[in-house]
């Protein structure tokens, strides 16, 4: 199985598909690379890198302090080991925090940034409540409850529901809780002007509680494009995979 071992002996599980311009996909807390199952058809046109964050899916972990910056460093090491550079970074939900942090810290590696349901900090009541609910559920109800809720929201079929639920339950409970917390604490708004690459914001048309987050990106990042995907809330990669793939394809072709 393909793993890259970090300097601290954490092993990151990854999968590579296709060839050409590389696109890296970063999943939200707990969901693992299975989040992007419906993006695999893009491998007909591009090289796709999908991986499990430390403590998620099939990647290992240490119970040590980490931050969003730490997770961006993990990605930097992974790309170096795989000899990939000038990549497009695509982060979904909380995974978008890692994507923008990577773009700020390692601009030479980034050709473009794609944020699906993205935000530069958690500063609204509804989003903050969602993060706190995730933390409390993990602490008192355990990971299986989170796995059921996330899988139910993202699945179009019973088979994918079961597959995703099983994959989420591979994650480490303490790591998942910690990742929710560092996502809640993360702030990049005051550094967004450091993102040099073109930025694509993709929001579900019905994902009303994150729409306002686009304005900070539009204010501070020079090259920003916003696209709304109709008839969906937050779960764009799984519920509107074909539409998302077309949007990503167009953006990468325009900026590669």
């Amino acid at each position: 199985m393909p793993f890259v071992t970090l300097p601290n002996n954490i092993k990151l599980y990854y999968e590579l598909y296709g060839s050409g311009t590389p696109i890296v996909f970063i999943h939200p807390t707990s969901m693992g690379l299975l989040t992007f199952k419906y993006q695999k058809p893009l491998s007909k046109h591009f090289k796709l890198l999908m991986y499990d964050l430390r403590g998620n899916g099939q990647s290992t972990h240490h119970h040590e302090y980490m931050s969003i910056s730490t997770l961006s460093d993990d990605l930097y090491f992974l790309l170096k080991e795989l000899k990939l550079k000038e990549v497009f970074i695509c982060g979904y939900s909380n995974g978008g925090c890692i994507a923008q942090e990577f773009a700020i810290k390692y601009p030479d590696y980034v050709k473009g940034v794609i944020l699906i349901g993205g935000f530069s900090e958690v500063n609204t009541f509804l989003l903050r409540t969602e993060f706190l609910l995730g933390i409390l559920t993990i602490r008192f109800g355990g990971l299986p409850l989170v796995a059921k809720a996330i899988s139910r929201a993202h699945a179009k079929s019973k088979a994918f529901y079961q597959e995703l639920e099983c994959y989420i339950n591979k994650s480490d409970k303490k790591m998942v809780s910690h990742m929710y917390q560092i996502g809640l604490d993360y702030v990049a708004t005051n550094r967004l002007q450091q993102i040099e690459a073109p930025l694509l914001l993709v929001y579900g048309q019905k994902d009303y509680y994150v729409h306002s987050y686009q304005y900070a990106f539009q204010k501070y990042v020079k090259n920003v494009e916003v696209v709304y995907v109709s008839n969906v809330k937050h779960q764009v990669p799984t519920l509107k995979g074909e539409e998302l793939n077309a949007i990503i394809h167009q953006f990468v072709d325009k900026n590669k």
Side-chain angles (χ1 to χ4, degrees):
M1 298 174 70
F3 288 92
V4 161
T5 303
L6 303 179
N8 56 7
N9 290 321
I10 289 175
K11 294 183 178 180
L12 295 184
Y13 174 76
Y14 71 91
E15 295 178 0
L16 274 173
Y17 303 95
S19 61
T21 303
I23 308 174
V24 182
F25 291 89
I26 307 175
H27 66 81
T29 302
S30 80
M31 289 184 67
L33 56 76
L34 194 59
T35 304
F36 302 108
K37 179 177 182 175
Y38 297 106
Q39 278 60 67
K40 289 182 182 179
L42 284 168
S43 63
K44 297 176 184 177
H45 310 281
F46 310 107
K47 180 187 290 289
L48 309 183
L49 170 60
M50 301 175 181
Y51 73 106
D52 290 333
L53 300 172
R54 59 166 71 187
N56 289 246
Q58 300 180 72
S59 292
T60 63
H61 63 88
H62 291 161
H63 287 299
E64 59 185 18
Y65 174 79
M66 66 175 178
S67 63
I68 296 296
S69 181
T70 305
L71 298 177
S72 73
D73 293 339
D74 288 353
L75 177 56
Y76 171 70
F77 190 86
L78 177 61
L79 293 179
K80 280 187 66 178
E81 287 296 298
L82 297 178
K83 295 180 171 55
L84 294 176
K85 199 173 181 181
E86 295 189 329
V87 302
F88 285 80
I89 303 288
C90 179
Y92 169 42
S93 194
N94 197 25
C97 297
I98 303 168
Q100 58 194 292
E101 184 67 20
F102 185 87
I104 291 169
K105 291 186 70 172
Y106 303 105
D108 291 344
Y109 272 74
V110 181
K111 289 282 288 184
V113 181
I114 304 164
L115 303 182
I116 307 164
F119 44 88
S120 58
E121 63 179 292
V122 178
N123 62 8
T124 58
F125 173 78
L126 287 176
L127 189 57
R128 184 173 183 82
T129 299
E130 182 178 303
F131 271 79
L132 291 173
L133 183 60
I135 294 169
L136 291 173
T137 303
I138 289 291
R139 288 180 181 174
F140 297 105
L143 187 61
L145 286 177
V146 171
K148 286 184 180 297
I150 292 176
S151 300
R152 186 175 296 113
H154 283 81
K156 293 190 292 185
S157 68
K158 183 177 180 180
F160 184 64
Y161 168 83
Q162 293 173 337
E163 185 181 14
L164 184 57
E165 181 184 18
C166 180
Y167 208 81
I168 292 172
N169 277 313
K170 292 177 183 289
S171 299
D172 179 79
K173 182 178 73 172
K174 290 183 180 179
M175 289 291 288
V176 170
S177 178
H178 186 45
M179 284 186 177
Y180 274 121
Q181 186 64 57
I182 63 175
L184 181 62
D185 297 337
Y186 180 71
V187 178
T189 307
N190 58 348
R191 297 178 293 131
L192 289 178
Q193 68 273 13
Q194 297 177 44
I195 297 179
E196 301 172 1
L199 171 63
L200 172 64
L201 302 174
V202 181
Y203 293 107
Q205 181 189 21
K206 297 181 179 180
D207 198 15
Y208 304 114
Y209 71 101
V210 295
H211 289 173
S212 63
Y213 285 102
Q214 69 181 284
Y215 301 123
F217 293 107
Q218 291 173 320
K219 180 177 180 180
Y220 294 112
V221 182
K222 293 179 181 178
N223 187 349
V224 182
E225 180 180 351
V226 183
V227 176
Y228 285 86
V229 180
S230 61
N231 299 317
V232 68
K233 294 181 180 179
H234 196 60
Q235 301 82 11
V236 175
T238 60
L239 300 186
K240 292 289 183 177
E242 290 186 8
E243 293 89 335
L244 176 61
N245 293 350
I247 292 166
I248 292 174
H249 194 161
Q250 183 181 40
F251 177 74
V252 173
D253 272 349
K254 183 168 62 175
N255 293 286
K256 65 183 180 181

